[in-house]
Amino acid sequence: VRVRGPEGCLSLPGIEAGTPRFDRAVVEGTTRDGAPVRVTGTGFFARCLQHESDHLDGGLFTDRLTGLRLRRTLRAARRAPWSKPGAP
């Protein structure tokens, strides 16, 4: 089941958009020692798991947006103080 909910990111400070995510997520990987690990989450935790997994693939929550939500979010990013030349 997909659920649209508010999502933001430290990569785009102060910007938030309703982003569709699955309500359940399973992430598999390994520990630093190479032991297998599996994490399952629902609700907000599932959203966090998917958000951070997207980062591992080089993505942002904006990659999940379409239409008006995407246009509004990108416009807000262009207008944000941190996006101006010379901004810290």
Side-chain angles (χ1 to χ4, degrees):
V1 175
R2 281 189 179 230
V3 179
R4 185 179 309 278
E7 194 164 330
C9 184
L10 294 174
S11 298
L12 301 168
I15 295 178
E16 186 178 277
T19 306
R21 296 282 187 183
F22 290 102
D23 196 41
R24 182 175 186 276
V26 179
V27 177
E28 296 178 338
T30 59
T31 66
R32 293 191 317 187
D33 299 325
V37 64
R38 181 180 183 147
V39 178
T40 302
T42 59
F44 183 72
F45 186 50
R47 178 172 296 278
C48 294
L49 290 172
Q50 293 167 84
H51 179 104
E52 298 305 330
S53 293
D54 279 353
H55 283 313
L56 293 175
D57 290 332
L60 294 173
F61 76 96
T62 54
D63 298 327
R64 303 277 177 187
L65 304 176
T66 60
L68 184 58
R69 278 189 179 85
L70 176 60
R71 289 191 301 277
R72 285 181 176 170
T73 303
L74 294 178
R75 183 182 323 122
R78 283 191 306 272
R79 294 178 176 175
W82 45 260
S83 71
K84 306 300 182 231

